[in-house]
């Protein structure tokens, strides 16, 4: 059955295959609830259709996850009886470790590791030892370990998606209300009193159970759900089997339909409870590490955190179960009864995945003692507001109405950090170099040396002596294979000398090559490259004007540029029907680094309508606000072009007099 990927999933698929072009083992990070399994299926489908040899093995660390993956693959049309589809197998790592002899003669060409943050276990390393040449793809929401061990010994590179805050801002994950116990509450003092640690470095289960699995504390759990999520459907994360069953029993006594599920719950009974939960016949599932990974129920309306942890992975996996989108779900209520927002910060905080992947930073929260010594996490509400504290020992840290505004403030603080100069640092253990801005690491230490830094880019040399360029804003790398030497130039350009002495130039914004040095031409905050009598955009999807279309054909508007061409653009959906096709104007939007559009018309309020290369129409306002226009939104059951004709000011576009054009500022490049 065909299925459609979202834009970010298509982007991730392209980035993964690009990474496989230079290495054989890649880890992919995407937040919980953003469709990792769909992306996994798309990569598998690409591999099976590519004509590459060998089977595809998908490996999970629990039997329940195997069943879920198989169901998803069947739903997406990747499980069947054809010869190609029979090359796809799904295993649990436990089954593989006991049955290697049954697989003699079989060899995977691609191994996909689900929940790959578990892949450092000995059983997974056996996969690498037995099939060293097979491609490896690890999928996880949290490429980090509590013990600080990195994944570089198994995976060559990390490819990370948007942050949780970005997914929420773009409407791909649910907003949330965050309710927490107060700093001086009795519960917080109990959590801070925990001293013992288990073998994994987390709080010891026995001590947590003895301190928190008591009648008064369980009653407080019920009170918080009734007050902040009464009547809603949700998941509770408990400490132990006994703790989970005590919570479920207490909730039922208060008229809150609840069941406890744990490792001892028979599989058939567990499936029955989950189906009843999906149908709404059970309102609350209380579990012990059962629904931390792989569980998909979008209409979860609240998550209750009743288990302290120092593991960042556990924290994000648990809250992530409530952030999936669902019809009629305005927001998810996160009820933090153990003060995890003081241990980690809120879920929308930025995480240095690159450092955690490399093993230079542990995925571990602050203990009570560390919090007392640090001002980094004082549980202040996101955005700097005073928390709304009640006399009952709970506080509203942030509401979903305030969340987007608060995220913007947090992103601004991050942007200020990102605006700091790009610098190199050296790892004392390995002697290799990495890049950072202020206290934030842009890349881990993996370069033999950093040869130069200019205009936010770094020229690096790898241990194999090959050269590459790193974007200091994103950490993305471009390998310069076949290159003899290179030099960073002003304006984000790179001069490359080949091994035979031939010289070429790259625009580092989009990777486009030029045989001669182009000239940077600025119009306000926007830039084009000029090469002879042609102009080239610096967008990720590059665009070039026709011959003879130079700076004189560019008109600078308040928040966009007009590039006037002679031919009618085929991208505009109104071409040839009396709509916008009569215009031949390309449009470069301020703040949009993705592509150049076709200008279809201007509205009386100063906003414009543009079309992309696939004919989709957008309404664009000053400030970069852009939304797609549909015929349905315009109240028409007709074509998009008819919708545009309905909303556009009914007058043709005309060039202003030459005196109204602003002169471009051409900047000579410094070699």
């Amino acid at each position: 059955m065909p299925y459609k990927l979202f834009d970010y999933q298509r982007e991730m698929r392209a980035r993964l295959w690009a990474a496989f072009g230079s290495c054989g083992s890649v880890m992919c990070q995407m937040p919980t609830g953003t469709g990792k399994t769909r992306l996994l299926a798309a990569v598998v489908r690409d591999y099976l259709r590519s004509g590459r040899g060998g089977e595809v093995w998908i490996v999970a660390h629990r039997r329940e996850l195997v069943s879920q993956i198989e169901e998803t693959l069947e739903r997406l049309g990747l499980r069947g009886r054809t010869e190609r589809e029979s090359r796809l197998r799904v295993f649990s790592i436990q089954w593989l470790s006991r049955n290697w002899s049954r697989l003699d003669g079989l060899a995977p060409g691609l191994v996909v590791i689900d929940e790959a943050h578990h892949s450092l276990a000995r059983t997974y390393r056996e996969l690498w030892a037995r099939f060293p040449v097979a491609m490896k793809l690890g999928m996880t929401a949290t490429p980090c370990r509590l013990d600080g061990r990195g994944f570089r010994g198994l995976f060559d590179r990390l490819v990370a998606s948007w942050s949780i805050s970005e997914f929420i801002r773009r409407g791909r994950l649910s907003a949330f209300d965050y309710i927490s116990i107060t700093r001086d509450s009795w519960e917080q003092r109990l959590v801070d009193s925990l001293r013992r640690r288990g073998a994994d470095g987390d709080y010891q289960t026995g001590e947590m159970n003895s301190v928190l699995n008591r009648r008064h504390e369980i009653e407080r759990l019920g009170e918080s759900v009734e007050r902040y999520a009464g009547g809603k459907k949700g998941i509770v994360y408990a400490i132990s089997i006994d703790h989970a069953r005590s919570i479920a029993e207490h909730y039922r006594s208060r008229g809150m339909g609840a069941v406890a599920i744990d490792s001892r719950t028979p599989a058939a009974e567990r499936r029955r409870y989950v189906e009843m939960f999906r149908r709404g016949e059970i309102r609350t599932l209380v579990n012990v590490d059962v629904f931390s990974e792989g569980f998909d129920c979008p209409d979860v309306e609240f998550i209750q955190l009743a288990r302290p942890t120092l593991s960042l992975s556990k924290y994000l996996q648990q809250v992530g179960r409530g952030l999936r989108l669902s019809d009629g779900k305005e927001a998810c209520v996160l009820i933090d009864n153990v003060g995890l927002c003081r241990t980690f910060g809120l879920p929308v905080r930025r995480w240095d995945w690159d450092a955690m992947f490399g093993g230079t930073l542990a995925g571990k929260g602050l203990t009570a003692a560390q919090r007392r010594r640090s001002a980094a996490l004082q549980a202040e509400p996101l955005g700097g507001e005073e928390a709304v504290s009640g006399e009952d020992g709970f506080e509203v840290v942030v509401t979903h109405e305030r969340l987007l505004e608060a995220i913007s403030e947090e992103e601004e603080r991050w942007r200020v950090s990102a605006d700091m100069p790009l610098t190199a640092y050296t790892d004392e253990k390995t002697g290799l170099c990495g890049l950072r801005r202020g206290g934030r690491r842009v890349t881990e230490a993996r370069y033999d040396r950093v040869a130069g830094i200019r205009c936010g880019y770094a020229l690096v040399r790898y241990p194999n002596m090959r050269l590459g360029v790193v974007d200091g804003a994103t950490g993305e790398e471009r390998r310069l294979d076949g290159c003899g030497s290179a030099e960073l130039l002003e304006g984000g350009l790179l001069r490359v000398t080949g091994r035979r002495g031939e010289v070429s130039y790259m625009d580092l914004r989009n990777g486009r090559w030029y045989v001669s040095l182009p000239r940077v031409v600025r119009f306000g905050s926007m830039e084009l490259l000029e090469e002879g009598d042609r102009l080239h955009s610096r967008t990720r999807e590059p665009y070039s004007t026709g011959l003879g279309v130079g700076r004189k054909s560019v008109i600078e508007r308040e928040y966009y540029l007009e590039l006037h061409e002679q031919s009618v653009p085929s991208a505009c959906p109104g071409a040839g029907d009396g709509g916008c096709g009569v215009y031949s104007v390309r449009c470069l939007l301020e703040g949009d680094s993705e592509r150049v559009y076709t200008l279809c018309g201007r509205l009386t309020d100063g906003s414009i309508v543009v079309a992309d290369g696939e004919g989709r129409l957008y309404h664009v306002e000053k400030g970069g606000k852009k939304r797609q226009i549909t015929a349905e939104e315009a109240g028409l059951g007709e074509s998009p072009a008819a919708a545009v004709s309905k909303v556009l000011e009914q007058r043709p576009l005309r060039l202003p007099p030459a005196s109204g054009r602003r002169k471009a500022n051409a900047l000579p490049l410094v070699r």
Side-chain angles (χ1 to χ4, degrees):
M1 182 176 76
Y3 61 96
K4 185 177 180 180
L5 296 178
F6 291 117
D7 51 355
Y8 64 88
Q9 292 169 325
R10 292 194 300 271
E11 177 190 350
M12 286 297 289
R13 180 174 67 175
R15 290 176 62 196
L16 288 173
W17 283 116
F20 276 125
S22 58
C23 55
S25 185
V26 179
M27 179 176 275
C28 170
Q29 183 275 330
M30 290 176 66
T32 299
T34 58
K36 289 189 296 297
T37 306
R38 276 183 170 262
L39 174 62
L40 177 158
V43 173
V44 168
R45 186 187 295 273
D46 290 342
Y47 184 89
L48 293 174
R49 290 178 173 178
S50 69
R52 299 170 186 252
E55 298 183 338
V56 177
W57 290 5
I58 302 176
V59 183
H61 74 285
R62 291 209 319 263
R63 184 176 62 253
E64 296 82 5
L65 294 178
V66 170
S67 300
Q68 292 170 19
I69 293 169
E70 287 178 333
E71 290 172 5
T72 301
L73 294 176
E74 184 174 349
R75 189 168 64 249
L76 298 178
L78 277 175
R79 295 284 285 179
R81 299 179 180 177
T82 68
E83 180 180 354
R84 184 183 70 212
E85 291 166 341
S86 67
R87 293 167 54 203
L88 175 59
R89 302 172 187 265
V90 186
F91 303 106
S92 73
I93 191 63
Q94 293 83 2
W95 187 93
L96 275 178
S97 64
R98 295 191 303 266
N99 293 276
W100 288 117
S101 60
R102 298 177 61 178
L103 299 172
D104 285 347
L106 298 179
L110 171 65
V111 178
V112 183
I113 310 296
D114 189 48
E115 305 297 351
H117 49 281
H118 295 287
S119 61
L120 293 184
R122 179 189 55 80
T123 47
Y124 282 100
R125 290 184 176 275
E126 184 75 9
L127 274 170
W128 268 256
R130 286 178 177 269
F131 309 108
V133 299
M135 298 167 60
K136 315 292 191 315
L137 172 63
M139 308 292 293
T140 182
T142 52
C144 61
R145 298 269 303 185
L146 183 58
D147 59 12
R149 294 168 62 197
F151 299 91
R152 172 94 19 212
L154 295 178
F155 297 97
D156 301 319
R157 184 179 301 181
L158 174 69
V159 176
S161 184
W162 300 341
S163 63
I164 293 176
S165 60
E166 187 66 15
F167 275 104
I168 292 175
R169 182 159 48 195
R170 299 199 188 198
R172 300 298 192 185
L173 284 178
S174 170
F176 58 81
D177 300 324
Y178 200 102
I179 316 299
S180 175
I181 53 175
T182 60
R183 185 182 296 106
D184 57 355
S185 65
W186 171 248
E187 290 91 342
Q188 186 66 65
R189 290 198 292 271
L190 288 177
V191 173
D192 290 348
S193 73
L194 298 173
R195 295 288 181 267
R196 299 176 185 172
R197 301 292 182 264
D200 61 354
D202 206 350
Y203 294 116
Q204 186 190 67
T205 301
E207 185 185 23
M208 286 192 293
N209 198 58
S210 64
V211 171
L212 297 172
N213 187 14
R214 300 187 294 196
R215 180 179 180 84
H216 177 264
E217 279 62 50
I218 290 175
E219 288 177 348
R220 291 278 287 165
L221 295 176
E223 291 171 7
S224 62
V225 172
E226 286 184 333
R227 175 171 179 177
Y228 297 104
K232 294 182 181 294
K233 176 178 175 179
I235 299 175
V236 181
Y237 289 94
I239 295 167
S240 63
I241 292 174
D242 183 56
H243 189 221
R245 293 178 180 178
S246 298
I247 293 171
E249 182 180 354
H250 178 71
Y251 284 13
R252 287 194 297 269
S253 72
R254 301 178 79 121
M256 302 159 55
V259 296
I261 296 180
D262 52 62
S263 59
R264 298 179 188 173
T265 307
E269 185 176 350
R270 183 186 301 184
R271 286 194 295 270
R272 181 167 62 86
Y273 284 156
V274 169
E275 286 307 312
M276 293 174 69
F277 181 72
R278 293 185 193 279
R279 295 194 299 265
E281 297 169 13
I282 294 174
R283 302 299 294 174
T284 306
L285 290 180
V286 188
N287 82 107
V288 185
D289 291 335
V290 173
F291 301 126
S292 295
E293 298 164 335
F295 182 70
D296 180 6
C297 189
D299 62 346
V300 169
E301 297 170 289
F302 79 86
I303 295 292
Q304 184 172 41
L305 304 170
R307 182 206 192 283
T309 184
L310 292 171
S311 168
L312 175 62
S313 180
K314 270 195 177 75
Y315 173 58
L316 293 181
Q317 294 278 357
Q318 290 174 358
V319 299
R321 299 301 136 193
L323 300 186
R324 293 180 186 272
L325 297 174
S326 178
D327 292 339
K329 174 179 168 181
E330 184 178 18
C332 180
V333 181
L334 303 179
I335 307 175
D336 182 357
N337 292 87
V338 288
L340 293 186
C341 64
R342 292 184 188 88
T343 301
F344 302 103
L346 291 177
V348 290
R349 184 182 170 202
R350 288 253 192 174
W351 315 101
D352 193 343
W353 294 132
D354 201 65
M356 295 182 196
F357 170 77
T360 57
L361 182 66
K364 184 177 181 178
L366 297 180
T367 64
Q370 290 170 326
R371 289 200 304 273
R372 286 192 292 269
R373 295 193 300 266
S374 172
L377 291 175
Q378 294 298 323
E380 294 299 334
L382 192 65
E385 287 186 344
E386 289 299 323
V388 180
S389 299
E391 296 180 357
D392 58 356
F394 293 97
E395 62 184 358
V396 179
V397 180
V398 69
T399 64
H400 67 276
E401 294 95 346
R402 166 71 176 138
L403 185 61
L404 291 181
E405 180 184 351
I407 285 175
S408 296
E409 294 174 5
E410 189 77 4
E411 291 294 313
E412 177 64 17
R413 286 192 288 272
W414 178 267
R415 187 195 65 76
V416 170
S417 172
D419 284 345
M420 296 183 71
L422 184 66
T423 59
Y425 70 92
T426 303
D427 188 311
E428 295 181 358
K429 294 180 181 178
T430 65
L432 297 177
C433 299
L435 297 166
R436 67 183 175 196
R437 287 184 182 275
R440 181 176 69 89
R441 293 188 180 182
V442 177
T443 71
E444 63 179 285
R446 55 171 171 264
Y447 314 118
D448 181 68
R449 69 186 181 93
V450 176
I453 296 176
R454 201 169 198 174
C455 299
Y457 294 93
L459 182 64
V460 299
R461 189 174 292 279
Y462 298 95
N464 62 6
M465 301 310 292
R466 293 187 177 180
L467 290 172
V469 178
V470 181
D471 185 336
T474 64
E476 293 185 3
E477 301 178 15
R478 294 181 186 272
R479 303 248 178 174
L480 304 174
D481 295 329
C483 165
S485 63
E487 180 187 0
L488 292 169
L489 305 177
E490 285 295 328
L493 297 171
L494 180 74
R495 180 171 59 196
V496 175
T497 303
R499 291 172 180 167
R500 297 181 179 179
E502 66 278 13
V503 177
S504 55
Y505 301 87
M506 179 197 288
D507 182 358
L508 294 174
R509 303 273 184 86
N510 55 26
R512 185 166 187 161
W513 289 91
Y514 297 91
V515 295
S516 59
L517 179 62
R519 186 179 179 86
V520 179
V521 183
R522 287 184 179 168
F523 298 84
S525 64
M526 290 176 277
E527 293 181 356
L528 295 167
L529 294 183
E530 185 178 42
E531 184 188 34
D533 57 357
R534 298 182 69 180
L535 294 173
H536 308 274
S537 75
R538 309 199 72 181
T539 51
R540 292 191 181 183
E541 183 181 293
Y543 164 78
S544 298
T545 65
L547 293 173
V549 182
R551 276 179 278 165
K552 293 182 179 179
S553 299
V554 179
I555 300 176
E556 183 182 354
R557 302 293 186 184
E558 190 174 8
Y559 60 95
Y560 62 96
L561 294 183
E562 293 179 8
L563 288 74
H564 288 258
E565 296 270 21
Q566 299 300 316
S567 59
V568 176
S570 59
C572 189
D577 66 359
C580 53
V582 297
Y583 308 122
S584 54
V585 183
R586 296 289 189 175
C587 182
L588 184 65
L589 303 178
E590 186 177 51
D592 190 330
S593 61
E594 292 300 317
R595 59 178 61 88
V596 173
Y597 300 86
T598 297
L599 179 64
C600 297
R602 308 187 192 95
L603 303 181
T604 53
D605 62 359
S607 62
I608 58 175
V609 173
V610 299
D612 64 17
E614 298 178 10
R616 291 184 291 260
L617 300 171
Y618 300 89
H619 177 225
V620 186
E621 301 175 82
K622 181 182 177 181
K625 184 177 180 181
K626 181 179 70 176
R627 67 178 182 89
Q628 189 171 349
I629 294 177
T630 65
E632 183 180 0
E633 284 178 314
L636 300 171
E638 305 174 30
S639 67
V644 173
S645 299
K646 178 82 173 179
V647 298
L648 290 182
E649 179 185 7
Q650 297 302 307
R651 62 183 177 85
L653 296 173
R654 297 186 183 278
L655 294 180
S659 60
R661 302 180 187 177
R662 296 170 63 181
K663 186 177 181 180
N665 177 24
L667 299 178
L669 294 173
V670 179
R671 292 174 176 266

